[in-house]
């Protein structure tokens, strides 16, 4: 498999590559004296010369990607200069930190199995697109790897700040331009994915806005995960659902069931449509326009969401506290007499909390202040408001397309330095985004562990892997468990189909 | 190197011929097929002998039917009207009697239906575009016919299909009754007497998307009423797969030089109507079109483009899809790339040059085919959007203003917009409201056109200046513009300039 030796990393990106190879594995105390070590630069190139002729096409191939490769070359120098030590933010995406992370902590093996659905490499992984975001912000698409080892190698060489996972294609993405007709290169399979992002909640959250989150608004994500996860399991019968913290203010879902992976765009679109309720931002007095009686999915979701509405929305968010905010609530009620009466009441007692205001709706209505609405319609309108304030706001476009790329689990969020760890939905309420370890913490934890267990014999110490010494351990273990169940089921399905002839080396590292 | 393999597979029919011993005793595999049902799923290709003339005639007859069906769709006829319109057409070209009619012609009619379907399938498998249209129209035809099938015969036909559905048992039905009702919204029905089917949800994606079906662990509980939809979907799915297959086999058919010209001819006559745009829709030779003349010309724009123009002037900005729609339209009326760039640069007056260059310029050039992949350059960018395209794309969300305003605006806002651009005729506005209420958006647009150009159209008609076909329903914003421009400039127009292009219908 010559293409897998990732030629562009060695030839196209000389600066980056040499740096990656030059930097030693040892703790970062070594000074970045490039002159002293420049002789090593030759090494990676000579290592790969034997494979070079076979890879000519691919070189041309990637040269064609004008905007990416050129920007890499011109800007590679910046990243080879040591970043200022003081800036803590840039530290997360410093090549050295990243390389340590990929080398010592990143769970390549389970990730490979998760995407490959078998122990030995098959097209599910080999023809899958990865897109790398390099430290200089260059974005390289259509990377693919013959095995997890080669994938890991390229990560170490290029030290991407993050990478994204795309679909499996009908052929190796690196060879896409050798095909005469464009239609023979098409996506064939990918996990069904969902993206929930806190920015979509800005109209209804009061605690933060934009990129920031706090414990209060994280509850919106919790609600969303519960609802979506419930629907995926109960309605669609999916089992292999992995929820992943996106590193800052959202969550992703990856559904690996075979049936989900093989869906075409139309089916993805229909699932997204099934789950999407709040389209567009303004609904106003007309409500959400959903049918009564409620569809069982909405009904179940509402049952899940009701307690959250009381605690997380009314109490914690207090969304209608001020009179301007209360205006929003009044705008959602379609009865003039009712809103006028409420307005009057709240004007005279300005300090009522959202909780009280919500209760006021019923009291005022019972006092006979309904003109156009029946009691039933008021109940419906209140249901609509509850849904508006709690129902998941999905970024549906992500789910609709087979060829959409999504950030991989376990990469580092460049803004926060936190690892995009999987979330165990069984203990969803316990998940705290602020306790998710950052890369710098993790590397420190390894050193601390090593220092603490210095007395341990060499042999004993070798048994403990680096990730096991850190706070990443529970997450990796959860992920491995998830992958193991997936593989078990795949194996069952595969044995029924056929004995695959294509062998690959079972990988281990 | 990617050509078809050197060792072509021999199809089963030929293989039988090759072996003389088998040939002697074998039952011929290409005996006339029996057609038990009026409807046909077209799963097996015909294997009998027909003459070349029949091959072509039958194909043309079916093509006529499909063309009329597509015309109905373009004119946005509601199903009832389409049905009314199609009845005589079907009767004339593709009669299909029911089994009960005991007509002596049934066998022949069904054979014709079967063979013509397969010859067109062959003719239209060439490009993805043709395949898609053919599948769409055939599915519509299938649906139309299925709805008019005799009740008992439809039952029998559906039962004969190899579909994987399972009847929901009485216990299960009672267990989920409330949920079934809530999911489907058939609240008034007597649930216990209705029958339900259980299928993989993938069979009914539309119902799932609209949340009109109960889902349990990947199974959809479908009401018998939806069964037809499922049959139609399955038909469509198989046809699409069949077309893909046909496309792959097409190159190997070249040895028969009798069919190729017929197939080519058939597919040619199917190409015209969708695009509906050609270079001649520009008025470049009659008026100078440059960045500064757009404001003046905008009086002739259809509402979809006028609206974009006004939004652009108001905000000095347009969102992506609006820019795309408008750029392509401007390209269509003959604005050159250079002038188009100038136009946008001036229009986005709040932006710095640098931002404009980095974020907007590329897209404009891409639309014109100045940059981008090889295919884009060769095709000189995208074609200006037709009404059909604007009416079928996703609705704009907040801040976006692309699409057809007749569709995207609420009736009240639409009327306000029309009044804003100077259309105050009360009778007209009432008509527009009515059309829009019935979702006949582009009839509404044509209505506006006809009223605002009333006098000119009358003059043209009275003096027979233009052929009648030039005053057909407008199906493309660029046609709207050109026709409007020519009508308002009747004095200046030479008779030779009347190249208003209306998409040629394929039946012509």
């Amino acid at each position: 498999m010559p293409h897998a030796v990732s030629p562009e990393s060695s030839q196209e990106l000389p600066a980056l590559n040499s740096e990656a190879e030059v930097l030693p594995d040892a703790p970062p105390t070594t000074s970045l004296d490039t002159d002293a070590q420049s002789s090593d630069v030759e090494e990676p190139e000579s290592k790969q010369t034997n494979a070079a002729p076979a890879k000519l096409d691919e070189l041309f191939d990637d040269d064609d990607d004008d905007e990416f490769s050129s920007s890499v070359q011109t800007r590679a120098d910046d990243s080879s200069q040591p970043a200022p030590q003081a800036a803590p933010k840039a530290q997360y995406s410093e090549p050295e930190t990243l390389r340590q992370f990929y080398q010592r902590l990143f769970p390549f093996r389970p990730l490979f199995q998760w995407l490959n659905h078998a122990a030995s490499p098959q097209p599910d992984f080999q023809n899958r697109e990865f897109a790398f975001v390099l430290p200089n912000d260059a974005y390289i698409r259509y990377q693919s790897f013959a095995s997890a080892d080669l994938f890991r190698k390229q990560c170490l060489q290029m030290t991407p700040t993050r990478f994204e996972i795309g679909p499996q294609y009908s052929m190796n993405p690196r060879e896409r331009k050798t095909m005469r007709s464009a239609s023979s290169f098409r996506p064939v399979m990918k996990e069904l994915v969902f993206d929930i992002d806190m920015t979509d909640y800005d109209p209804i959250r009061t605690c933060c806005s934009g990129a920031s989150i706090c414990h209060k608004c994280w509850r919106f994500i919790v609600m969303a995960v519960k609802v979506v996860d419930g629907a995926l399991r109960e309605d669609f019968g999916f089992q292999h659902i992995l929820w992943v913290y996106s590193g800052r203010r959202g969550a992703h879902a990856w559904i690996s069931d075979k049936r989900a992976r093989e869906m075409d765009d139309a089916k993805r679109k229909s699932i997204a449509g099934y789950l999407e309720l709040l389209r567009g931002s303004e609904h106003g007095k007309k409500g959400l326009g959903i049918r009564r009686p409620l569809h069982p999915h909405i009904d179940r979701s509402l049952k899940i969401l009701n307690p959250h509405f009381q605690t997380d929305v009314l109490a914690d968010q207090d969304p209608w506290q001020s009179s301007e905010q209360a205006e929003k609530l009044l705008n959602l009620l379609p009865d003039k007499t009712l809103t006028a009466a409420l307005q009057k009441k709240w004007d005279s007692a300005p300090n009522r909390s959202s909780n009280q205001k919500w209760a006021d709706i019923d009291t005022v209505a019972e006092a006979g202040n309904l003109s156009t609405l029946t009691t039933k319609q008021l109940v419906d309108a209140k249901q609509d408001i509850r849904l508006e304030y709690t129902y998941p706001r999905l970024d549906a476009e992500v789910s609709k397309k087979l060829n959409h790329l999504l950030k991989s689990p376990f990469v580092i969020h460049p803004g926060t330095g936190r690892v995009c760890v999987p979330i165990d939905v069984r203990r969803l309420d316990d998940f705290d985004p602020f306790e998710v370890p950052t890369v710098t913490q993790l590397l420190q934890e390894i050193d601390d562990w090593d220092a603490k267990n210095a007395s341990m014999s060499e042999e004993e110490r070798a048994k403990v892997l680096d990730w096991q010494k850190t706070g990443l351990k529970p997450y990796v273990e959860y992920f491995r468990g998830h992958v193991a169940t997936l593989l078990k089921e795949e194996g069952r399905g595969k044995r029924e189909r056929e004995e695959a002839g294509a062998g690959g080396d079972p990988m281990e590292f | 190197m990617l050509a078809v393999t050197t060792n072509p597979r021999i199809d089963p029919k030929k293989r039988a011929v090759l072996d003389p011993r088998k040939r002697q005793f074998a039952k011929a595999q290409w005996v006339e097929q029996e057609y038990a049902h009026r409807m046909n799923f077209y799963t097996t290709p015909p294997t009998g002998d027909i003459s070349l003339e029949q091959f072509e005639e039958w194909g043309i007859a079916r093509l006529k039917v499909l063309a009329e069906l597509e015309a109905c769709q373009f004119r946005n006829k509601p199903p009832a009207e389409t049905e009314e319109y199609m009845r005589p057409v079907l009767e004339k070209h593709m009669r299909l009697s029911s089994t009960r009619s005991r007509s002596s012609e049934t066998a022949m009619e069904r054979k014709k239906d079967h063979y013509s379907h397969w010859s067109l399938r062959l003719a239209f498998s060439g490009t993805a575009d043709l395949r898609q249209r053919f599948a769409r129209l055939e599915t519509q035809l299938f649906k139309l016919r299925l709805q008019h099938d005799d009740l008992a015969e439809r039952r029998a036909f559906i039962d004969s299909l190899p579909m994987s559905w399972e009847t929901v048992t009485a216990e299960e039905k009672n267990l989920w009754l409330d949920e079934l009702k809530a999911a489907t919204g058939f609240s008034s029905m007597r649930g216990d007497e209705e029958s339900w089917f259980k299928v993989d949800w993938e069979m009914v994606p539309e119902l799932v998307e609209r949340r009109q079906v109960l889902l349990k662990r990947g199974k959809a509980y479908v009401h018998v009423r939806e069964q037809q939809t499922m049959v139609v979907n399955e038909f469509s799915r198989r046809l699409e797969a069949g077309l893909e297959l046909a496309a792959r086999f097409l190159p190997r058919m070249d040895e028969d030089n009798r069919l190729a010209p017929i197939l080519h001819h058939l597919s040619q006559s199917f190409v015209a109507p969708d695009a509906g745009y050609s270079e001649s829709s520009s008025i470049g030779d009659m008026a100078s079109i440059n960045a500064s003349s757009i404001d003046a010309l905008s009086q002739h724009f259809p509402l979809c483009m006028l609206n974009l123009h006004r939004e652009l002037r108001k905000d000095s900005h347009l969102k992506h899809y609006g820019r795309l729609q408008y750029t392509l339209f401007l390209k269509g009326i003959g604005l050159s790339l250079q002038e188009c760039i100038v136009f946008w640069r001036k229009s986005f007056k709040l932006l710095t040059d640098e931002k404009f260059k980095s974020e907007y310029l590329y897209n404009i050039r891409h639309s014109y085919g100045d940059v981008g992949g090889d295919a884009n350059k060769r095709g000189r960018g995208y074609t200006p959007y037709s009404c059909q395209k604007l009416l079928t794309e996703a609705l704009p969300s907040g801040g976006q203003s692309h699409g057809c305003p007749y569709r995207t605006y609420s009736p009240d806002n639409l009327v306000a917009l029309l009044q804003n651009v100077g259309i105050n005729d009360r009778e007209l506005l009432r008509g527009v409201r009515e059309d829009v209420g019935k979702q006949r958006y582009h009839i509404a647009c044509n209505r506006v056109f006809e009223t605002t150009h009333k006098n000119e159209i009358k003059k043209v008609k009275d003096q027979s200046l233009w052929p009648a076909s030039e005053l057909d329903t407008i199906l493309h914003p660029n046609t709207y513009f050109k026709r409007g421009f020519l009508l308002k400039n009747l004095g200046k127009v030479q008779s030779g300039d009347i190249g208003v292009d209306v998409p040629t219908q394929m039946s012509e």
Side-chain angles (χ1 to χ4, degrees), chain B residues 418-445:
Chain B
L418 283 169
Q419 284 169 337
N420 257 327
V421 300
I423 294 167
N424 290 308
D425 183 331
R426 195 168 297 172
E427 184 59 22
L428 171 62
L429 292 177
R430 203 187 53 75
V432 166
R433 225 177 240 279
E434 192 175 306
D435 288 335
V436 170
K438 287 181 182 160
Q439 306 196 321
R440 295 191 293 201
Y441 308 112
H442 86 269
I443 302 292
C445 185

Side-chain angles (χ1 to χ4, degrees), chain A residues 234-235 259 274 276 291 295, chain B residues 183 202 205 208 211 213 217-218:
Chain A
E234 285 172 38
D235 296 350
R259 213 167 143 187
Y274 183 83
E276 205 181 12
R291 224 182 31 227
H295 185 277
Chain B
E202 286 95 337
V208 172
R211 236 180 278 122
V213 65
R217 306 239 154 234

Side-chain angles (χ1 to χ4, degrees), chain A residues 171-287:
Chain A
M171 56 182 292
N172 190 331
R174 288 183 194 259
E175 287 162 11
R176 69 198 181 281
K177 290 195 179 160
T178 61
M179 291 312 280
R180 202 170 298 168
S181 65
S183 61
S184 57
F185 180 68
R186 53 173 202 287
V188 292
M189 176 281 278
K190 195 193 67 183
E191 287 75 13
L192 172 65
V193 292
F194 291 94
D195 181 10
I196 305 167
D197 196 293
M198 194 59 95
T199 28
D200 295 320
Y201 286 86
D202 277 352
I204 55 167
R205 61 177 175 157
T206 56
C207 47
C208 326
S209 68
S212 54
I213 62 160
C214 63
H215 285 111
K216 280 184 187 173
C217 51
W218 176 254
R219 300 301 297 169
F220 283 117
I221 302 290
V222 172
M223 292 179 227
V225 172
K226 280 184 183 170
V227 167
V228 174
D229 192 71
L232 291 174
R233 284 178 207 274
E234 285 172 38
D235 296 350
F236 293 95
F238 295 137
Q239 291 166 16
H240 304 283
I241 305 172
L242 183 74
W243 286 94
V244 181
Y245 174 49
S246 73
R248 181 152 40 195
R249 49 174 173 171
H252 300 158
W254 296 79
I255 295 100
S256 300
D257 293 63
K258 195 170 174 53
R259 213 167 143 187
R261 296 195 318 253
E262 286 170 350
M263 292 193 305
D264 56 19
D265 283 353
K267 298 199 181 85
R268 284 167 204 261
K269 184 165 159 278
S270 65
I271 292 202
Y274 183 83
L275 295 173
E276 205 181 12
L277 190 62
L278 310 161
R279 253 165 279 214
S281 49
E282 300 299 318
H283 293 285
K285 291 192 190 299
K286 276 180 292 177

Side-chain angles (χ1 to χ4, degrees), chain B residues 314-345:
Chain B
K314 194 176 84 197
D315 303 336
S316 296
H317 191 262
L318 271 184
K319 297 235 175 184
H320 174 77
Y321 289 108
R323 288 199 309 271
L324 186 62
Q325 177 181 330
Y326 198 35
T327 307
L328 294 174
F329 172 77
L330 292 176
K331 181 172 98 167
I333 70 171
L335 190 68
S336 68
L337 173 59
Q338 287 318 313
E339 287 296 323
C340 191
I341 293 172
V342 172
F343 171 76
W344 285 110
R345 182 63 205 102

